[in-house]
Amino acid sequence: MADLSTEFLGIKSPNPFWLASAPPTDKEYNVVRAFKAGWGGVVWKTLGLDPHVVNVNGPRYGAIWGADRRLLGLNNIELITDRPLEVNLREIKKVKREWPDRAMVVSLMVPCDEESWRSILPLVEETGADGIELNFGCPHGMSERGMGSAVGQVPEYIEMVARWCKAHTRMPVIVKLTPNITDIRFPARAAKAGGADAVSLINTISSITSVNLDDFSPEPSIDGKGSHGGYCGPAVKPIALNMVAEIARDPETHGLPISGIGGVTTWRDAAEFLALGAGTVQVCTAAMTYGFKIVEELKSGLSNYLDEKGMTLDDLVGRAVPNVTDWQYLNLNYVTKARIDQDACIKCGRCYAACEDTSHQAISMSEDRVFEVIDEECVACNLCVNVCPVEDCITMERLEAGTVDLRTGRTVSDDYANWTTHPNNPAAAKAAE
């Protein structure tokens, strides 16, 4: 089995799978159960200085389900830990002492003044924790008090607080970024400018998942009223992957270590985050849905994948980053067409309906329901592949160089160099200016 041991900011763990700061990491009991199950590390649920944090006693979660009631997303309105600070610190110290080989990072959120950070940092450092994560992402409850995403949406604040923390602790400082912002690169740059050792992302997305159409309150409903909360789970993964990639390929933050978060449910999800530059991945919703033992599948799946590819974990990290580019650099000389495997086709007609009604009328249907691609009309949009219920029944086939694209009448070129100088290439046109 491939070696999954990880070193992130000098923090060693037996694998890159960490539990994110959330309900699963709120107390010693949960964290010990997680370590026994095989998790490589945890980020302890966010600590603060306010001794009067009070969470709601009604429902804390709203949900989005797929057609089979598979959980696609959770919305939560839970605040930071409401357990006493001294209890959390005592438990952190005990767990770290008993599990020295596991990563123990502590999430923090205190008012945006230097004295508050100066006062809490030594308390955390005394526990022997491996690092701290600055929670600049929580979009509800605490943000209304000038913390969480209220800080994370202002790069100047991020830089300022990161600089305070670096001045007052020996521990590595990870800045957890909010996705509730226009361009994720600016807060990441600010974190780096403030001396942060790494960033983690994404935190939850501000959301209302549903409205009760009987009493007309947002879900989860508390005595007939609702509030926006933080959205997480499989549905947010595409947003998280893009933001991780943006930071990994930004020249100003290139090389800044990243802990990837957002919808990691399978080993493939984790591998995608790693390939886009994450050094570790943090998991929450999957553990809350399936329990801590899901880490067994994550570890075995990733290990088997690395063995099959003949790669190490270090080989995987960042492997996809060079292939992420701006649209203008995509090769428009690359041409594909849809192809339908008639033996695999179940004649449901989804591809035909989707293409005929909403796309390019590029699929024909015979009287006996045989579906075929009309190359003269196919623009290779891939919609038919995505709506087909049979995996690999419809595939995209690249036209070889020298063949004529029946839709455009142009001969397909396989020479990328031609595209880099082609007058239709915006990048080439700009360079020519």
Side-chain angles (χ1 to χ4, degrees):
M1 300 288 283
D3 180 16
L4 297 182
S5 59
T6 305
E7 186 167 336
F8 185 78
L9 308 180
I11 304 170
K12 295 181 179 180
S13 57
N15 60 69
F17 300 110
W18 296 3
L19 284 172
S21 169
T25 63
D26 190 32
K27 61 175 74 75
E28 175 189 356
Y29 178 83
N30 299 82
V31 172
V32 169
R33 282 181 62 84
F35 285 165
K36 287 181 178 178
W39 290 88
V42 301
V43 182
W44 200 276
K45 184 172 169 65
T46 307
L47 310 183
L49 291 171
D50 186 352
H52 304 297
V53 172
V54 179
N55 273 292
V56 296
N57 289 312
R60 296 183 184 183
Y61 304 113
I64 297 292
W65 298 278
D68 58 356
R69 202 170 165 82
R70 184 171 67 91
L71 188 66
L72 301 180
L74 273 183
N75 167 293
N76 89 89
I77 57 172
E78 183 167 303
L79 302 181
I80 67 175
T81 184
D82 53 11
R83 303 168 69 238
L85 177 60
E86 60 272 15
V87 172
N88 277 295
L89 293 171
R90 183 171 65 246
E91 292 182 0
I92 291 168
K93 184 174 184 177
K94 181 174 182 290
V95 174
K96 181 58 186 177
R97 184 171 62 246
E98 294 175 354
W99 296 85
D101 67 325
R102 308 304 170 95
M104 174 64 75
V105 176
V106 178
S107 176
L108 298 176
M109 184 193 295
V110 298
C112 198
D113 62 79
E114 186 171 5
E115 187 52 41
S116 293
W117 289 99
R118 190 203 308 266
S119 65
I120 198 170
L121 289 170
L123 303 178
V124 177
E125 191 166 315
E126 196 275 331
T127 67
D130 297 303
I132 56 171
E133 183 180 79
L134 313 186
N135 185 344
F136 294 158
C138 183
H140 59 273
M142 307 306 292
S143 58
E144 290 89 331
R145 308 178 196 187
M147 293 179 276
S149 63
V151 177
Q153 291 169 336
V154 184
E156 293 81 4
Y157 292 173
I158 294 174
E159 180 177 350
M160 177 177 65
V161 179
R163 199 177 302 279
W164 290 340
C165 291
K166 288 301 294 181
H168 298 302
T169 184
R170 59 160 183 81
M171 296 179 290
V173 175
I174 304 169
V175 172
K176 189 172 187 179
L177 301 178
T178 177
N180 303 300
I181 194 163
T182 305
D183 191 331
I184 198 66
R185 294 174 297 177
F186 292 105
R189 291 170 184 172
K192 184 176 181 180
D197 300 287
V199 292
S200 60
L201 69 157
I202 59 174
N203 208 313
T204 53
I205 300 169
S206 188
S207 65
I208 292 175
T209 50
S210 60
V211 174
N212 185 309
L213 293 179
D214 291 318
D215 67 8
F216 302 102
S217 65
E219 300 283 5
S221 178
I222 307 296
D223 194 24
K225 301 290 183 181
S227 174
H228 73 279
Y231 193 52
C232 58
V236 312
K237 190 187 88 169
I239 298 168
L241 286 176
N242 175 62
M243 290 188 170
V244 166
E246 285 295 282
I247 293 171
R249 73 188 188 99
D250 180 11
E252 294 190 39
T253 52
H254 179 73
L256 181 66
I258 301 170
S259 186
I261 314 168
V264 174
T265 307
T266 69
W267 71 264
R268 298 188 69 92
D269 299 331
E272 291 168 10
F273 274 93
L274 295 166
L276 286 174
T280 65
V281 289
Q282 296 184 34
V283 181
C284 174
T285 307
M288 295 176 72
T289 306
Y290 303 108
F292 286 152
K293 288 188 176 181
I294 192 176
V295 75
E296 296 175 0
E297 297 179 20
L298 297 175
K299 290 191 298 182
S300 63
L302 181 59
S303 185
N304 288 335
Y305 167 76
L306 292 174
D307 283 341
E308 290 173 4
K309 290 291 186 180
M311 298 168 59
T312 67
L313 191 61
D314 286 341
D315 293 333
L316 176 60
V317 174
R319 187 73 172 263
V321 174
N323 294 326
V324 183
T325 189
D326 294 335
W327 192 97
Q328 65 180 347
Y329 299 115
L330 298 178
N331 183 5
L332 299 192
N333 285 332
Y334 180 87
V335 181
T336 62
K337 298 292 180 182
R339 295 290 179 257
I340 301 174
D341 182 344
Q342 298 299 337
D343 292 332
C345 180
I346 61 173
K347 303 185 186 303
C348 67
R350 287 191 191 176
C351 60
Y352 174 78
C355 189
E356 190 70 15
D357 289 351
T358 69
S359 201
H360 296 275
Q361 298 76 53
I363 295 179
S364 66
M365 179 178 68
S366 68
E367 291 184 0
D368 56 348
R369 295 184 68 82
V370 173
F371 302 94
E372 295 182 329
V373 176
I374 306 170
D375 278 6
E376 293 91 330
E377 304 298 335
C378 180
V379 302
C381 70
N382 208 42
L383 177 62
C384 56
V385 175
N386 291 324
V387 301
C388 178
V390 180
E391 188 173 4
D392 294 330
C393 175
I394 306 179
T395 55
M396 303 305 297
E397 180 182 291
R398 182 179 184 179
L399 297 188
E400 295 182 2
T403 59
V404 176
D405 180 354
L406 297 179
R407 188 179 70 85
T408 63
R410 290 193 293 126
T411 301
V412 176
S413 171
D414 195 34
D415 185 357
Y416 183 81
N418 287 349
W419 173 244
T420 60
T421 58
H422 196 283
N424 289 344
N425 182 343
K430 186 175 181 180
E433 294 176 359

